[in-house]
Amino acid sequence: MAWDERQQRLLAAMGLRVWAPPAAGAPAAEAPAVAAVAAVAEAEAAPPVRARPAQAVPAAAPAQAPAAAPWSPATGALAGLGWPELREAVAGCRACSLCEKRTQTVFGVGHPQAAWMVVGEAPGEQEDREGEPFVGAAGQLLDRMLAALSLTRAADGEVPREQRVYIANTLKCRPPGNRNPTPEELAKCEPFLVRQIELVRPRLILAMGRFAVQALLRSDEPIGKLRGRVHRYQGLPLIVTYHPAYLLRNLPEKAKAWDDLCLAAEVFEGRAGGTALDALQPAQ
Ligand code: SF4
């Protein structure tokens, strides 16, 4: 099979190389017997942690100023909130016990009017420290995958909307020890994600990982069974794929994630047909 230029860029970005038959007369290379794509191991060193500015210790509040009640998804009309208010609501949320151990909430990153939206799972240690989703090795892999499709998380107004990506997690606080979130925690936090999607109004959602899929599709099926077709969330096309952190631990799965990204690009451009569109799921 011949890969077009974009497919080759995507393969390279994901650390995959295409096997090509040796030229006539050339010494035989160690070619895979069946697969056309071979995963290339890549040990990715974690990037240096960006120093956070020192934060001044706030002065004690005057005695006569009663503290405002902390926000939680259940105590306010999230449906009416704009970006600043929603960010503030997340930062002050104490609706579940994850608030107790967090360094800070991890709201989201990217242009607020993006055509693509990536939904991940929960902040890890580095995200908790930096306050941004998808940092570290998994974040770098995601950025390379996005760049292969000419997409960026940069909130740069010069970038056309079709190339902008907004990234948010299903949970805004880190589960201690990177344990799996509980169904209760996911349920408590979900309204924040719902409002983010409403505000971004993306043209396509990429759901990365089991908990993102559970939240958006209400499905307990494994990723392997849900990927490869077009689902719907509130009428928006939604593509399921593996979380980059999982791909770093399971290198051969990168080829599948590459297929998922190609499908997402085809759907976005209105080029997906046949199998993918035949499998459209009813609106949630
Ligand atoms: S995880 Fe979500 S619901 Fe729980 S405290 Fe954090 S922001 Fe609130």
Side-chain angles (χ1 to χ4, degrees), residues 73 90 93-96 98-99 102 171-173 188-189 192:
V90 169
C93 179
R94 303 191 66 81
C96 79
L98 295 183
C99 67
R102 71 188 177 206
L171 271 183
K172 311 306 184 199
C173 302
K188 291 271 188 192
C189 212
F192 290 134

Side-chain angles (χ1 to χ4, degrees), residues 193-236:
L193 176 64
V194 170
R195 185 61 187 149
Q196 284 176 304
I197 296 173
E198 286 171 357
L199 287 169
V200 175
R201 285 194 287 174
R203 278 173 47 192
L204 183 139
I205 297 174
L206 210 47
M208 294 187 148
R210 179 156 62 102
F211 298 111
V213 168
Q214 281 178 6
L216 295 174
L217 293 184
R218 298 279 188 267
S219 172
D220 284 331
E221 283 198 84
I223 302 283
K225 288 220 165 133
L226 293 169
R227 53 170 296 278
R229 52 197 164 118
V230 186
H231 302 267
R232 291 269 165 185
Y233 173 82
Q234 303 289 341
L236 298 169

